[in-house]
Structures are given as structure tokens and as C-alpha cells.
Amino acid sequence: MVRAAAPLTMPRRLGRLSLAGAAALTLATGALATGVTPALAAAPHVAPHAGDAPVPPPAQTGKFVPTTPTRILDTRQAIGVPGRVPVANRGAIKVNTGLTAANVRAVVMNVTVTDTTGGGFLTVYPDGATRPTTSNLNFTAGQTVPNLVTVPVTNGYVDFYNFGGNTDVVADLAGYYTDSPAVPGSSYMPLTPGRVLDTRNPGGRPVGTRGTLNLKLAGTAGIPPRGATAVVLNVTATRPTAGGFLTVYPHGTSLPTTSNLNFTAGQTVPNLVTVPLGADGSVDIYNFAGSTDVVADVFGYYTSAPYGAGFTPTGPTRMIDTREKGNSPIGQDSTLQLPVARGGLGTTKVSAVVLNVTAVNATAGGYLTVFPGNGTNRPTTSNLNFGPRQVVPNQVVVPVDDSGLINIYNRFGSTDVVVDIFGYFTDPVGTPGALQNGTDSSLLFPCGPTAPGRWETVVDGQAVSVGALDPGPLPYSSDLRVHAVVTDPSGLTTDYATENGHGMAIPLPKPVLSGAYSFYAYATDGKVSTPASKPCYFQADGDSRVGAVNITSDAVPGQIYPGTMLNFTFSAVSTGSSNGRQIADFCYVDGQPGSGCTHIAADKDGKAHLQLPVGRWGSHTLFVQASTVSGWVGQYAEYDFYARSN
């Protein structure tokens, strides 16, 4: 039988460590105990602009400015050119970007070739510069091929060169990069590639004719709930029933008259898309004709906060062409590894690179995945999808880790690849480091580098502290302050400061709001400031409570023997204002609590199913306890049964 929840233990939280006897650490000591997470001494904080106004971090360069999708070229409609004339074989056209040249370092465009009369390629390059020996789009006769293009701009114009047959060209401006301090912009945060949409999955369905699919991105796949201005997605249309196009645009805005992907019936077409987020953190995907499945992988996001990476356009430079002598195609289930130094970057430390990757001479239909590192931890995403003998290009933005290596994985058959580098992102240097957070009853923990970060469970009256162990390269003085710029779950951003420069922790005001937090740090002596650090992410849960566990079983009194297999269902509900209230698992033990227990994961409905063999005859008490995602733990419930001897 089931008995009411017994108060064998008071409701508690997971992961609490005592600070008793822990010594406050300052940078002046210069040493950390091995294996011990140091505590930061609490310090009073200064509210924003109290006393002297803080000196902000220096302005970033290479900022991205998204624009309303604007068609700047369509040779079919005499947009951007004087007449309705295709670009001839070995012909070039000069196109005005419509932007103020002094503010523009590079532009991002979606470029499409259509009505091609022969096989060839298109090269987009800065007006006035020598035409490079690289390409942006490769095509065959009759193909329609889109690709995202990032190209430097020096005088407000870009040139389009066509090799092979005649072709119409369409270009839609998506944004630009600027170094101007007077122009507000966003910096880039690369992410481990992650799949955020696949309509082929159970429960999904294709996007129908003139249908729109809404995709929420803020708060998913490492994108923070607040602060992201635009995202970088690889969008693939597959199994379309008719020729058409997809348009990706911010939710809550009007459908633009531009496109991101063009396809024919039965074709699989990928394209990289840089798109601003709507006010609710989502984008819309519109399909013009027929129905098509859609796959979307996220590769990074842009943020208005000053801690991201800035963009530097290059060359472009050819990194490799496996068709050339001494190289070989990438075989089936094989990986080609390239150091970014082959792109002419030397020893420059980069956080991500912008590549144009083209699959050529494939022997079978398949896909390529581009990812960073030593070849392990390959993501389950793709960058290019292609059929046998197709020539398929796609722009790729891939993170670069400390190895300085990028990998190109081929799934089926073998294929040649051509890789051109068009630019790179670099992080600010000389920033505060070792960001940490925790509560006043725990040691401080290293920060979560991607959203949403680890959970902190907070009891009434408890504080959450944030801080940095390393204030950066500014010399210590009595004027040195370490600032933590905190965004709370309501979206309010507040600049807090320590009273000295020793990397002290800053307690946040109470009561602590439940939900997702982020903060970055910078240091200032009142005259100059360091650049902003990378952000720290964590979540606070101060109001979740776990209700009683309900236990049901198929046990029949009088018919239970040693060896009998009993089926149990555990369920529990919880309350709270954040998603930390979700029931995560159940802990059960056949016997007195305190001797250890076994955990079983809960499903999305807060239930778990267990098959438990009876091990001995006599009286049994099953103790079951539920815990939440954030770490709150409820009281034990008990289930009694008796096993008869054989």
C-alpha cells in the first residue's frame, strides 16, 4: 500500500557545499590550491553610475549590422543594372550596394544564379580590386544555385564576374560589417553546431504552399534567451514537390520580396542564412510553392553586448583544391583536416572562419560536415548536401578551437572539395578572466560558457554572487574596479562594480529572480577600461517546490514471491516560475534511506516506469523521492508490500 509522504528528510537541494573555513582569495596571493574551487570574497557593489560614471569597454571593430533584406541586383528585372541582360560568359558587372562606403568594411549578400546556359562559376569581389582566382558559386547549364556571399567593400560597389555561358544573377543584401564607432552593431558568438529543426522527424510536417513555419531560437541550442540580435543558420530544403523558394525572416515583420533558397522538385538545396531575430526571439520560414521539408542547423549568433568576436575580411584565399596534384578526394566516412594557417592567417588566434566550401565530382549522393578540433566530437549537422556528380557550393562559418584545425567529413562515396577562406572572427584580448558564480552557501563555480548554464537553487534571503578572479592586464591601483554587467530574467541589465580591483564577488540584490541570467566583466581604473570578457550564463531557481510522489504498482497482495517482477509508475508535480521546476528524476531504494539509492529519469510528464524484481521474502518498503531539473528535492513517499516465501 502507499502511505502519505513521510518527513524522513526535510526538502533539500542538491550540490550544496559549505564555505566554512574557506579562505577568501585575492589575486595578490597568486596561487590556487589544486583541485579546490576558490571562493571569492563578497564585496559591496556600486549601483550603475553611482559616483563616477563607469568608463565603458572600448568600441569593437568588425561589427555586424543586419539590414532589411533588400534586392540590389536582378538582371532579369534591370535592378542594379541598366537593362534586362544576363551576365555574359567572361563578363563582369559593377553593382552599387546602396551603403555609405565610409561605414562599410564588407557586405553579406544572398547571391543566386539562374537561367544558366552553360557550366561555370561566379566570382564576387571588391570593385577596383584584382579579380581573385576563387569562386562563390559553381553551376551547370539550367541550374538555379543560391549561396551566401561575404565580400569586402572599399568604395560602396562590388563586382560580379561570370565564367561559362550566360547567366542571370540576383543579389539580396542581408547586412554589412563596420568598424565605425558611430554605427551600432553586433559581434559574433560561434556555437557548437546544433540541429534546431527537422520537419522529417516524428510530429513534424512539410511546409505547404505559401505556408509559414515559426521557429523559436532564443533560449535554444546555446542561444541566450535575451541579447541575441541575429542568428547564423544552415537551412536545407529537401523533398520539395515543386519548384519554388524559401524566405527566412524575423517573426513579426512583413514578408520580404527576397529569397534565401531556390529549388526544383525533388532537389535538396542547402544555404547559409544570416537572419535577425524577431522581438520574441524567433524567425519565420516561408515556402512559396508545393510542399517541402526543412532542416535548420544553428552555427552561431550575433549580440549587441560588447563581448563577441569582430570580423576581418580577407583575400579570399584558396586553402585547398583536392583535384590538384598531390591531393586526393575525401573518401566515404572519412575526414579531411585543414589548419586555418593554410588560409594565410599565420599565428593569428581566431574564434571562427568564414569559408566557401564546394563539393565536386561526388560519386554518390551525400553530405559534408565542417567542424573544429582534432577530428573527434563530430556534430550531427550538415553543411552541404549533394547528388552524384553535382557541383554544390555553400558558405560555412565554423568555430576554431585552440588546435587551429578544421575538419571536413564526407558521409557517402568520395568527393573532391574546394575550400576558400573569406574572413575570420577574433575575440577581444586583455579581458577579465575566470568568471564564476554561486550562492552564499556554496563555493563559486566556473561559468557556463554557453546558455543557459548551470542551475543555482536559492532559498529565501539567500544571495547569488558573480565575479571574476582575474581583472585583466590593468595594473592594480586604488582606483581599479571590476565591473559585472548582469542581465536578469526580466531583461534588465545592470552594471555592478567591486570596491577594489582584487576580483571580488558581487552579491546580486535580493530577492533573486528565478530564471536565466548572464553577465560579462570588464575592469577600469576610471581612465581606461579593458575589453569585455566572454559572457557567463547561469540559472537561478528560488521558488520551485516538489509535491508528493505518487506510486502505483501492479503488485497483488498474496501473489508476491521472491523473483516476482513488479511494475511501478512514479509521478510527481512541482510548482515554480522557471523551467527548473520540471521533474528530472526519481531516487528509489528498497530499504531505509541513507544507504544510497538508484536514480531513474523522468519523462516530460514527470513520470518514470520501473520494473523491479523482488529479492527476498518478508516486508518491503520502497522509498521514492523526486527532484527537479534545477536541483530541488522533495520528501520521500513510501510504498509497502509483503513477499511470501515460496
Side-chain angles (χ1 to χ4, degrees):
M1 68 175 183
V2 180
R3 286 189 286 180
L8 297 174
T9 62
M10 293 298 290
R12 59 187 178 85
R13 293 165 296 139
L14 299 179
R16 291 289 146 249
L17 300 174
S18 172
L19 278 179
L25 175 74
T26 68
L27 289 176
T29 63
L32 301 180
T34 303
V36 176
T37 304
L40 291 177
H45 66 264
V46 180
H49 308 300
D52 295 332
V55 178
Q60 290 180 290
T61 59
K63 298 173 294 184
F64 179 68
V65 182
T67 60
T68 301
T70 304
R71 184 144 292 175
I72 61 172
L73 172 66
D74 189 340
T75 59
R76 303 166 304 177
Q77 303 294 330
I79 297 174
V81 286
R84 299 182 179 182
V85 180
V87 184
N89 179 26
R90 305 197 183 193
I93 57 175
K94 174 180 174 179
V95 178
N96 190 346
T97 65
L99 300 170
T100 303
N103 290 336
V104 181
R105 192 172 189 186
V107 294
V108 179
M109 301 177 291
N110 197 68
V111 178
T112 304
V113 294
T114 188
D115 301 324
T116 55
T117 63
F121 62 85
L122 192 74
T123 298
V124 188
Y125 60 102
D127 180 63
T130 301
R131 175 169 52 87
T133 57
T134 55
S135 62
N136 297 92
L137 287 84
N138 297 69
F139 48 84
T140 58
Q143 263 194 318
T144 297
V145 179
N147 199 13
L148 195 70
V149 172
T150 302
V151 58
V153 174
T154 57
N155 61 4
Y157 291 82
V158 292
D159 292 351
F160 295 76
Y161 170 80
N162 171 46
F163 178 87
N166 300 331
T167 182
D168 280 306
V169 183
V170 180
D172 298 323
L173 181 69
Y176 64 95
Y177 292 98
T178 181
D179 290 342
S180 173
V183 178
S186 300
S187 52
Y188 186 63
M189 294 290 293
L191 294 172
T192 300
R195 182 142 294 174
V196 291
L197 173 68
D198 191 338
T199 61
R200 302 168 300 180
N201 287 340
R205 60 181 181 180
V207 185
T209 301
R210 289 175 171 77
T212 300
L213 182 152
N214 179 254
L215 178 61
K216 181 66 179 292
L217 290 167
T220 66
I223 303 169
R226 300 179 185 276
T229 58
V231 293
V232 176
L233 301 173
N234 199 65
V235 180
T236 303
T238 187
R239 302 191 296 201
T241 61
F245 62 85
L246 294 181
T247 298
V248 188
Y249 62 103
H251 180 67
T253 64
S254 299
L255 174 67
T257 57
T258 56
S259 63
N260 297 95
L261 286 81
N262 297 70
F263 46 81
T264 57
Q267 193 180 20
T268 297
V269 177
N271 201 19
L272 198 69
V273 175
T274 298
V275 56
L277 292 177
D280 67 346
S282 72
V283 299
D284 289 338
I285 303 174
Y286 169 81
N287 175 45
F288 176 69
S291 67
T292 183
D293 280 304
V294 182
V295 180
D297 301 322
V298 65
F299 286 82
Y301 65 93
Y302 290 91
T303 175
S304 56
Y307 49 64
F311 179 70
T312 301
T314 63
T317 302
R318 179 142 293 174
M319 295 181 68
I320 194 169
D321 184 341
T322 62
R323 299 169 299 180
E324 294 180 347
K325 185 178 179 180
N327 296 326
S328 302
I330 308 176
Q332 179 168 311
D333 200 29
S334 298
T335 300
L336 170 68
Q337 195 166 79
L338 291 173
V340 295
R342 291 187 65 162
L345 302 186
T347 58
T348 302
K349 177 66 179 74
V350 299
S351 59
V353 289
V354 178
L355 309 174
N356 199 68
V357 180
T358 304
V360 187
N361 302 326
T363 61
Y367 62 86
L368 297 180
T369 298
V370 186
F371 62 103
N374 60 9
T376 60
N377 300 319
R378 173 170 53 87
T380 58
T381 54
S382 63
N383 297 90
L384 286 80
N385 297 72
F386 47 82
R389 302 302 170 187
Q390 282 187 329
V391 178
V392 177
N394 203 16
Q395 187 171 108
V396 174
V397 181
V398 60
V400 178
D401 62 16
D402 290 339
S403 72
L405 299 171
I406 58 172
N407 305 276
I408 303 175
Y409 169 81
N410 175 46
R411 181 65 182 94
F412 297 112
S414 67
T415 185
D416 281 303
V417 294
V418 181
V419 181
D420 300 322
I421 184 169
F422 285 78
Y424 60 93
F425 291 92
T426 53
D427 292 326
V429 297
T431 66
L435 271 62
Q436 299 193 4
N437 67 273
T439 67
D440 58 16
S441 66
S442 76
L443 293 174
L444 293 177
F445 290 88
C447 279
T450 58
R454 67 182 301 277
W455 280 98
E456 289 287 353
T457 51
V458 187
V459 299
D460 293 340
Q462 190 177 46
V464 170
S465 296
V466 299
L469 285 177
D470 174 11
L474 288 179
Y476 175 74
S477 72
S478 60
D479 295 323
L480 187 61
R481 301 285 185 271
V482 176
H483 289 253
V485 181
V486 180
T487 299
D488 70 20
S490 73
L492 177 66
T493 296
T494 307
D495 188 330
Y496 299 97
T498 60
E499 286 299 323
N500 59 56
H502 284 299
M504 296 296 186
I506 302 166
L508 303 184
K510 296 180 285 189
V512 173
L513 297 177
S514 291
Y517 284 80
S518 66
F519 77 93
Y520 62 88
Y522 68 96
T524 179
D525 59 8
K527 300 176 182 178
V528 297
S529 292
T530 67
S533 71
K534 284 293 187 183
C536 166
Y537 299 98
F538 67 95
Q539 300 171 93
D541 185 355
D543 58 10
S544 289
R545 297 294 182 267
V546 183
V549 176
N550 181 50
I551 307 171
T552 60
S553 173
D554 62 357
V556 179
Q559 299 182 22
I560 306 172
Y561 300 91
T564 299
M565 186 68 71
L566 299 180
N567 294 290
F568 293 91
T569 297
F570 308 146
S571 63
V573 295
S574 59
T575 59
S577 60
S578 71
N579 59 8
R581 67 182 181 276
Q582 174 72 32
I583 300 297
D585 68 2
F586 296 89
C587 179
Y588 67 91
V589 59
D590 183 4
Q592 185 67 24
S595 58
C597 65
T598 302
H599 290 268
I600 181 172
D603 61 21
K604 62 182 180 61
D605 297 318
K607 295 181 179 180
H609 304 283
L610 171 69
Q611 282 192 326
L612 187 67
V614 177
R616 58 175 176 80
W617 68 272
S619 296
H620 293 256
T621 299
L622 191 67
F623 294 92
V624 183
Q625 192 175 37
S627 61
T628 67
V629 169
S630 62
W632 288 101
V633 180
Q635 294 178 331
Y636 281 103
E638 303 174 28
Y639 185 94
D640 296 328
F641 62 92
Y642 184 84
R644 303 176 62 182
S645 61
N646 291 323

